[in-house]
Amino acid sequence: MSDFAQTATETDKDWWRGCTIYQIYPRSFQDSNDDGIGDLIGIVERMPYIASLGVDAIWISPFFTSPMKDFGYDVSDYCDVDPIFGTLADFDMLIDAAHGHGLKVIIDLVLSHTSDQHPWFQKSRVSREGPMADWYVWSDAKPDGTPPNNWLSFFGGSAWHWDPRREQYYLHNFLASQPDLNLHSEAVQSALLGVTRFWLDRGVDGFRLDTVNFYFADKELRDNPALPPEGRNAIHAPRVNPYNYQEHLYSKNRPENFEFLRRMRVLLDEYPAATTLGEVGDAQHGLELLGQYTSGDDYLHMCYAFEFLAQEPLTAARIAEVLYKVHQVANDGWAAWAFSNHDVMRHTSRWELSPAAQRLYATLLLCLPGSACLYQGEELGLEEADVPFEDIQDPYGVEFWPEYKGRDGARTPMVWETHERNAGFSEGEPWLPISHEHARRAVDVQEHEPGAILHHYRRALAFRKKHPALVLGMQDGVYAFGDVLHFRCVHDEETLFCAFNMSDTPSVHALPGGDWETIGQGVGGANKSPDGRLHMGPWQVCIARLID
């Protein structure tokens, strides 16, 4: 660990509270060796840009050794860098560069499953006997040869795959090439905690834990019950996926997960500033799990669910509904909010946002209680790219095309210089095509446009950092009045009132009782009118501070 990293870990163990995290999908961020795939050195080269945004940390999607059937989320070696991304020495350079710019580094850990090329699985599948025989979830067939239960894969079809070597089925919640680990095994838990320690010792500041609620499967492998049509939604999986037809009572969300998360927290507490951000993938119980997994000091630090990553339009009423439920079921926990990431359609397209609406949503995200995650290119207002079927790489998109086109539209390369080859991403042929519309919104173009959304994100991030009530405050008074969402944020001596007109029509809104001064004009905030009310234009915000 570098001297800087050691110093950083000793300064503020609660740095993650209210932090803003910039997610990097490394394949698509910056290519330094012109093979068409982004890499770790590319991230190093762009670190000054990331720091200029005003975020607190970066989250890097998987870069571990992998056959790339699911683009890094199928790990074949947890403790090495895949050659397409670089080397461990490159990663050390990235750590030093990030810390040198005052940025924390969070890396994506995929602990629920591995690649079928991982040595652990290769040893486990050889025989029903042996030291690693139970490291994965194996089961005999039913008497008629069918899978042991009705569990479904998130990527389509049965969650069970027949292995002729053991003459048994193994569980895979995702691709058949991603067998699920058996965390009921003490040896598996210890091995995964060893992986965690490896990266902590290398200087990382935390982990984004992929599919954190999938770690355990029911020991008895009981069937999942059917989910009635009225209980289904598309929060976690697209409507066309039959995964939505089950209540995933036994294939995930198991109570044994708490004890493993407790073991992980004990390990992280040895490193004073280490943190965890859990991804809770569940369409019915995501917020409850968020609350359970982050309450107290025994489990995770932060979690995010999919409520604000869903296809459903994010109206004032919907946000108020979610925040009210968070207050009910996760009031003692810590949420991290995101509107976009590598797994969902970019929110500008998902919600068909105008430029004015994009600015409001950026400000809103950075005023929500908890922490916030931004996805690369979000700050440029990028829309979902239209990737033709012949260029699709995502197996999820191939399976459900054309009703669901997969995740590649959100994963196309970052655009840096509009007139450079491949918008400055690479001199080689990019692994996914670059949208011409994206290239017109490249970083270099927006840097020279004072009204560009890039500068709005910078102003909103700077505004957030100036106000403890936004970073650490408790929220109350959440209410949707027509198209206007409002709430208060309170921390120590600061009380802020935030109102958002989430429509394209003007609105008149009242301030709460008390003496208020309007602030936040740099992020489009409305001033109080002579009549003492807020005359808010379409997609306008108002932020006011209570004067003692």
Side-chain angles (χ1 to χ4, degrees):
M1 186 183 298
S2 68
D3 292 340
F4 188 97
Q6 185 67 46
T7 302
T9 60
E10 294 172 351
T11 53
D12 182 9
K13 66 182 181 64
D14 289 328
W15 66 268
W16 52 272
R17 293 187 181 275
C19 71
T20 52
I21 303 167
Y22 186 80
Q23 183 195 353
I24 296 171
Y25 193 69
R27 295 181 70 89
S28 297
F29 196 62
Q30 177 65 65
D31 176 19
S32 71
N33 62 359
D34 298 330
D35 64 354
I37 298 174
D39 46 51
L40 298 182
I41 294 300
I43 298 173
V44 172
E45 292 174 354
R46 297 297 185 177
M47 202 70 72
Y49 167 79
I50 302 168
S52 78
L53 298 175
V55 298
D56 301 297
I58 57 174
W59 147 26
I60 309 173
S61 292
F63 51 83
F64 314 109
T65 307
S66 166
M68 300 294 164
K69 298 292 180 62
D70 192 25
F71 300 104
Y73 285 88
D74 49 327
V75 179
S76 57
D77 187 343
Y78 282 112
C79 297
D80 204 355
V81 174
D82 194 277
I84 67 170
F85 295 127
T87 65
L88 279 172
D90 294 339
F91 181 79
D92 294 340
M93 188 183 304
L94 185 153
I95 289 283
D96 287 339
H99 288 165
H101 282 86
L103 297 167
K104 306 288 189 182
V105 178
I106 295 171
I107 66 172
D108 219 323
L109 270 189
V110 188
L111 302 182
S112 65
H113 55 267
T114 70
S115 164
D116 60 0
Q117 303 303 307
H118 197 293
W120 297 347
F121 186 71
Q122 295 296 311
K123 294 176 182 176
S124 186
R125 77 191 315 180
V126 168
S127 169
R128 300 188 186 194
E129 306 295 332
M132 291 189 176
D134 68 344
W135 277 42
Y136 292 80
V137 182
W138 295 96
S139 178
D140 291 331
K142 288 182 177 178
D144 62 358
T146 56
N149 62 29
N150 70 344
W151 297 354
L152 295 174
S153 164
F154 190 77
F155 286 160
S158 172
W160 296 94
H161 188 79
W162 180 255
D163 187 89
R165 275 148 284 203
R166 284 183 54 143
E167 296 186 23
Q168 284 185 307
Y169 284 97
Y170 66 82
L171 177 67
H172 60 92
N173 270 297
F174 299 95
L175 295 176
S177 58
Q178 294 172 293
D180 275 56
L181 285 160
N182 174 26
L183 270 81
H184 290 289
S185 164
E186 179 73 21
V188 170
Q189 290 193 28
S190 296
L192 295 177
L193 293 175
V195 168
T196 306
R197 186 181 293 279
F198 174 87
W199 291 105
L200 287 168
D201 286 343
R202 208 151 199 110
V204 304
D205 302 292
F207 304 96
R208 182 266 191 182
L209 298 173
D210 184 68
T211 58
V212 72
N213 56 314
F214 282 73
Y215 288 174
F216 284 82
D218 177 47
K219 270 190 173 183
E220 298 176 33
L221 303 182
R222 288 170 282 186
D223 279 351
N224 282 327
L227 186 66
E230 61 271 20
R232 300 171 193 165
N233 61 59
I235 287 178
H236 189 213
R239 180 188 56 80
V240 297
N241 191 342
Y243 190 82
N244 290 322
Y245 287 47
Q246 290 186 357
E247 174 79 16
H248 300 278
L249 185 62
Y250 297 113
S251 54
K252 62 183 182 182
N253 304 337
R254 303 304 300 155
E256 296 92 336
N257 210 20
F258 289 99
E259 188 54 39
F260 177 68
L261 295 180
R262 191 192 310 273
R263 290 188 66 188
M264 176 172 279
R265 184 60 176 262
V266 169
L267 169 60
L268 265 75
D269 286 346
E270 296 179 28
Y271 300 78
T275 193
T276 46
L277 169 62
E279 177 203 32
V280 177
D282 193 83
Q284 281 73 44
H285 309 291
L287 294 177
E288 288 87 348
L289 290 166
L290 184 157
Q292 293 166 12
Y293 286 1
T294 61
S295 63
D297 298 322
D298 289 336
Y299 309 123
L300 303 181
H301 300 79
M302 304 175 279
C303 271
Y304 71 87
F306 280 74
E307 271 67 17
F308 292 164
L309 293 167
Q311 187 74 29
E312 180 182 1
L314 207 58
T315 62
R318 174 59 177 158
I319 294 172
E321 176 189 14
V322 171
L323 294 179
Y324 178 72
K325 187 169 183 180
V326 168
H327 180 73
Q328 287 183 308
V329 302
N331 197 42
D332 295 329
W334 197 268
W337 302 108
F339 293 160
S340 286
N341 69 17
H342 65 293
D343 279 335
V344 299
M345 180 186 291
R346 288 185 177 275
H347 70 273
T348 293
S349 297
R350 200 164 76 241
W351 299 326
E352 300 180 350
L353 302 182
S354 67
Q358 291 177 44
R359 285 166 167 76
L360 177 139
Y361 276 86
T363 306
L364 170 62
L365 177 63
L366 296 170
C367 290
L368 292 175
S371 301
C373 300
L374 307 178
Y375 178 53
Q376 65 183 50
E378 178 177 339
E379 75 278 13
L380 303 178
L382 297 187
E383 298 177 343
E384 185 82 351
D386 185 15
V387 181
F389 181 75
E390 59 268 22
D391 292 323
I392 288 288
Q393 305 291 319
D394 181 16
Y396 199 12
V398 172
E399 179 70 22
F400 290 104
W401 183 279
E403 283 72 17
Y404 173 67
K405 296 184 178 181
R407 301 165 293 180
D408 287 344
R411 296 177 175 185
T412 57
M414 185 73 171
V415 286
W416 300 100
E417 292 94 22
T418 190
H419 295 302
E420 294 296 322
R421 178 175 170 81
N422 296 317
F425 167 70
S426 175
E427 288 295 320
E429 185 67 22
W431 76 286
L432 281 175
I434 294 174
S435 161
H436 294 299
E437 178 60 31
H438 283 192
R440 288 195 286 268
R441 299 184 182 183
V443 170
D444 68 334
V445 172
Q446 297 204 28
E447 290 285 13
H448 295 94
E449 291 182 0
I453 192 169
L454 171 60
H455 301 299
H456 180 88
Y457 269 87
R458 285 181 173 140
R459 288 191 295 269
L461 285 159
F463 181 79
R464 175 184 174 90
K465 283 191 173 183
K466 289 179 181 177
H467 294 283
L470 296 180
V471 177
L472 297 170
M474 297 295 294
Q475 187 183 64
D476 65 14
V478 180
Y479 189 72
F481 185 81
D483 291 321
V484 177
L485 171 75
H486 74 227
F487 51 79
R488 287 184 298 180
C489 299
V490 182
H491 181 71
D492 292 341
E493 303 299 317
E494 184 176 58
T495 298
L496 299 183
F497 173 78
C498 303
F500 303 85
N501 179 15
M502 303 182 69
S503 75
D504 55 9
T505 58
S507 181
V508 180
H509 201 69
L511 283 164
D515 190 6
W516 298 86
E517 64 171 344
T518 51
I519 58 177
Q521 285 74 21
V523 292
N527 284 314
K528 184 167 55 175
S529 299
D531 64 1
R533 308 182 79 190
L534 301 173
H535 292 260
M536 302 172 70
W539 301 105
Q540 191 170 27
V541 308
C542 175
I543 303 174
R545 179 168 52 203
L546 184 63
I547 302 174
D548 292 335

